[in-house]
Amino acid sequence: MRTAAVAAAVIGAFLLGGCTTPSPSPDASRGVLAGSITVFAAASLKTTFTELAERFEASHPGTTVDLNFAGSADLVTQITEGAPADVFASADQKNMAKLTDTGLVEGDPVDFATNTLEIAVPPDNPAGIAAFADLADPGLKLVICAPEVPCGAATVTVEEATGVTLTPVSEESSVTDVLGKVASGEADAGLVYVTDVIAAGDAVTGIPFEESDEAVNVYPIASLDESDAPDIAAAFVAFVTSAESRAVLEAAGFGKP
């Protein structure tokens, strides 16, 4: 009788357990991201964000990150005019503030990197540039960013701080356009970011200058209010501000925010 009672108890416990819904595993309850987002990012982020997008997709196999690079001011114009975007990464706080003021930004932007200017010259430095003041030499074919572009605003700040007046032969809408003209030999010198010089490799030579500390650009990122994939957008913003992404950014020459 004792054996039968024990057996009945075991069977009852088994049946009761079979009717009980098991607790979900951490992976099951966490959910899986799936879908695509479009990230509008400053031109100076092209190399790093291409790598970060690939890493993000590898971590979330169901996602796709499409990238659109241009000058920050142009990106703000595109977004305010209705271009579909889920995330915006600016090369300065001023252009992010412009977009925030329109109400199109979700939450508060997060600063994730800093950058400073550097002089870029062709590999043989035909004009013999050695300092920021040399950029004011008559006859120098100098290319800089337009004032409304972050690298152009930084250039103006350095000009005002040093009292050096520059007379460029052209003002470009993105820092990559400036770099391209220097690398192709169309210009004797250009003002770009430290990160652009590093990314260009042997195509240009970089000349640091102390006055660049007068204009440090802070890079913010934010998801956008009208995103069709807010969960993925928020996850990408979190990834860009993670320790893993910061290591990638610092390797490319970006500073900490």
Side-chain angles (χ1 to χ4, degrees):
M1 293 178 62
R2 182 180 297 112
T3 302
V6 171
V10 171
I11 294 172
F14 175 78
L15 293 174
L16 181 61
C19 296
T20 302
T21 302
S23 299
S25 67
D27 290 339
S29 61
R30 183 174 53 193
V32 177
L33 295 175
S36 64
I37 58 171
T38 299
V39 176
F40 279 35
S44 53
L45 292 167
K46 184 172 183 178
T47 300
T48 50
F49 264 46
T50 298
E51 179 176 349
L52 293 182
E54 291 173 353
R55 291 190 179 212
F56 181 83
E57 290 174 344
S59 298
H60 305 283
T63 65
T64 301
V65 179
D66 297 317
L67 300 167
N68 176 35
F69 298 104
S72 296
D74 287 343
L75 293 175
V76 170
T77 299
Q78 292 175 32
I79 294 171
T80 54
E81 289 182 351
D86 301 281
V87 175
F88 174 50
S90 175
D92 68 347
Q93 294 171 315
K94 180 179 179 180
N95 279 288
M96 179 62 79
K98 289 180 181 178
L99 194 60
T100 301
D101 289 344
T102 66
L104 294 177
V105 172
E106 175 67 29
D108 296 324
V110 181
D111 298 334
F112 67 94
T114 57
N115 214 346
T116 55
L117 294 177
E118 187 165 291
I119 301 168
V121 298
D124 58 348
N125 193 8
I129 302 298
F132 182 77
D134 294 340
L135 299 181
D137 289 350
L140 179 74
K141 290 186 291 184
L142 173 67
V143 180
I144 63 175
C145 292
E148 63 271 16
V149 181
C151 61
T155 298
V156 171
T157 298
V158 175
E159 283 186 89
E160 294 174 347
T162 60
V164 175
T165 300
L166 305 179
T167 54
V169 294
S170 71
E171 295 181 346
E172 305 298 325
S173 61
S174 75
V175 69
T176 50
D177 291 338
V178 174
L179 188 68
K181 289 198 170 184
V182 175
S184 67
E186 294 181 59
D188 296 322
L191 279 169
V192 298
Y193 294 117
V194 172
T195 53
D196 296 301
V197 172
I198 294 174
D202 296 335
V204 301
T205 294
I207 301 173
F209 59 98
E210 293 182 3
E211 298 91 340
S212 65
D213 290 340
E214 299 290 338
V216 178
N217 278 30
V218 178
Y219 285 56
I221 186 171
S223 54
L224 302 181
D225 184 62
E226 296 185 0
S227 170
D228 290 331
D231 291 346
I232 303 176
F236 185 79
V237 170
F239 177 70
V240 170
T241 58
S242 69
E244 178 183 348
S245 295
R246 183 158 295 171
V248 173
L249 290 160
E250 289 181 3
F254 288 96
K256 295 180 180 180

